[in-house]
Amino acid sequence: MLEYVFRGLLNGSVYALLALPMTLFFTTAATVDFAIGAYALLAAAVATAVAGPLGIAAGLASAVAASLVMCAIYVLLKRTSSEGIRVALASFGLSLAISSIVLIVWGTKPFVRQTFTTMLEIGGLRVNPQGLLNVAISVGLVAATWLVLQRTQLGRMMRAAAVNAPGAELAAIPVIGVQCGALMAGGMLGGTAGLLILHSSGMDFTASLGLTFIGFAAAIIFGIRSPLRCLAGGLAIGVIEALAAGYTSGMVTSMVPSLFMLVVLLSGQLGAGRYSGDRP
């Protein structure tokens, strides 16, 4: 059981990176970007097509470029309506489009890279060094995001943009610019998660939707307002998923993120008091 828990924590740290963009955009625009999984998939696909370290840079650049497309869609939708559901649905459509492009260009072959060929022994457990690297990168990015949101002027501007956009504009805050910046940061974080998964377990063209579900579930299980809660949610899903894989069938394992989302949505906690105490 200890081995399953440990592996779940390693996987869960990457899931937190998929949840972070959800928190960033929700904090800034009061809606979510469902193309996160597609950013991860695109980054992994491009990274396999470009050899060496340049592939990592190209993968991240492609994810950010895809998020720029989402920025353009977001700006166009904001001109006609302020309803966040339209943005969420549009991002879902973009996700399907990116998955289709990946399928057309790269086909059905899986994407995987192995950086390390030797395993580490930790307390009797054999651990891939890539897993430890994933944890270090994920925790570092979560901590950096939390500091930006809670301790900087930019973080206050982001919260103000969601709480009261007209008031924020009167206070000389570039609301649309801040929100698009959050989308681009989400593209970079999603791409980073995709690269970490690429060098760990790998993925194929069908991974986009599943990764988005995992990210959304990790973001909402303990509350979507905080990056630290995203980390806790990602770790929780990773551990439950690993235990399910070890003690039940693969079908149950694939249902874990969906079950988490169902429980949270039925509890009515999503969005409760999400901005209490904030000021534009």
Side-chain angles (χ1 to χ4, degrees):
M1 180 176 179
L2 180 61
E3 180 180 2
Y4 294 137
V5 172
F6 189 71
R7 289 180 179 177
L9 292 175
L10 294 181
N11 293 334
S13 64
V14 180
Y15 295 164
L17 280 188
L18 295 169
L20 267 183
M22 302 280 187
T23 289
L24 275 177
F25 196 46
F26 190 83
T27 300
T28 308
T31 187
V32 292
D33 180 5
F34 284 127
I36 298 303
Y39 302 152
L41 172 63
L42 183 61
V46 171
T48 58
V50 181
L54 186 60
I56 296 177
L60 286 177
S62 66
V64 174
S67 69
L68 282 172
V69 175
M70 187 61 218
C71 287
I73 295 173
Y74 177 72
V75 171
L76 291 174
L77 289 176
K78 287 292 289 184
R79 289 180 177 178
T80 59
S81 174
S82 60
E83 294 181 7
I85 187 63
R86 297 182 65 202
V87 175
L89 292 175
S91 67
F92 185 74
L94 177 63
S95 176
L96 295 178
I98 293 174
S99 297
S100 298
I101 291 172
V102 170
L103 175 60
I104 293 171
V105 176
W106 283 274
T108 59
K109 64 180 181 180
F111 309 117
V112 62
R113 276 187 176 181
Q114 294 296 329
T115 305
F116 300 94
T117 57
T118 59
M119 304 291 282
L120 298 177
E121 292 284 343
I122 300 178
L125 301 176
R126 298 182 73 247
V127 180
N128 189 332
Q130 181 65 45
L132 301 179
L133 180 61
N134 292 353
V135 171
I137 293 174
S138 299
V139 171
L141 288 174
V142 167
T145 304
W146 182 85
L147 287 173
V148 169
L149 287 177
Q150 301 298 327
R151 296 290 185 266
T152 67
Q153 180 64 24
L154 176 59
R156 289 187 285 272
M157 291 168 61
M158 292 171 69
R159 296 197 301 275
V163 176
N164 186 350
E169 290 176 345
L170 290 175
I173 295 175
V175 173
I176 297 296
V178 170
Q179 292 168 341
C180 287
L183 280 172
M184 293 174 61
M188 185 192 70
L189 291 169
T192 301
L195 293 175
L196 296 182
I197 296 172
L198 171 69
H199 289 83
S200 302
S201 57
M203 68 178 79
D204 60 22
F205 76 97
T206 65
S208 174
L209 186 59
L211 293 177
T212 297
F213 277 168
I214 289 173
F216 186 57
I220 68 175
I221 179 174
F222 294 123
I224 199 170
R225 289 177 293 172
S226 169
L228 299 182
R229 295 183 181 184
C230 287
L231 178 60
L235 295 177
I237 290 180
V239 170
I240 298 299
E241 190 178 66
L243 291 174
Y247 294 106
T248 63
S249 67
M251 182 179 296
V252 175
T253 303
S254 63
M255 292 172 58
V256 169
S258 299
L259 291 175
F260 268 91
M261 286 191 293
L262 180 62
V263 170
V264 173
L265 293 173
L266 288 177
S267 69
Q269 294 302 310
L270 180 61
R274 61 192 181 197
Y275 299 123
S276 57
D278 286 341
R279 293 291 185 272

